[in-house]
């Protein structure tokens, strides 16, 4: 088919080594603003936890204030979720 994406996948050797020599499956990564939305991290973190449990092939990165995210996630952080600390937030009225 003309114009369709290539069917081959390039695998970095270090990824294959970590996967025990097997070619790892493609894993999608989604970053979420954990501090955003009308209800902030309470709703976003709870939804992320549910999504990660139901979609183990997807990695979620929750971006926001680490202490607030961790307090809602608990420890250890659930599998499939990473936290990326962001010390600043942007309010809805700031452009």
């Amino acid at each position: 088919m003309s114009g369709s994406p290539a069917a081959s996948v390039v695998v970095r050797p270090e990824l294959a080594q970590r996967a025990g020599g097997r070619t790892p499956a493609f894993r999608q990564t989604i970053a979420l603003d954990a501090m955003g939305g009308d209800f902030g991290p309470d709703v976003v973190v709870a939804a992320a936890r549910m999504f990660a449990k139901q979609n183990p092939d997807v990695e979620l990165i929750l971006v926001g204030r680490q202490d607030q995210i961790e307090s809602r996630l608990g420890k250890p952080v659930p599998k499939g979720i990473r936290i990326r600390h962001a010390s600043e937030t942007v309010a809805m009225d700031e452009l």
Side-chain angles (χ1 to χ4, degrees), residues 64-75:
R65 298 200 172 163
Q66 186 168 352
D67 60 333
Q68 291 185 28
I69 296 169
E70 284 179 343
S71 70
R72 287 158 177 87
L73 272 180
K75 288 192 178 182

Side-chain angles (χ1 to χ4, degrees), residues 37-73:
D38 291 339
F39 302 103
D42 289 332
V43 172
V44 175
V45 172
R49 177 189 288 279
M50 232 184 324
F51 181 87
K53 187 175 182 179
Q54 295 173 358
N55 299 277
D57 57 331
V58 178
E59 178 180 29
L60 295 178
I61 302 172
L62 299 179
V63 181
R65 298 200 172 163
Q66 186 168 352
D67 60 333
Q68 291 185 28
I69 296 169
E70 284 179 343
S71 70
R72 287 158 177 87
L73 272 180

Side-chain angles (χ1 to χ4, degrees), residues 4-10:
S4 58
S8 62
V9 176
V10 176

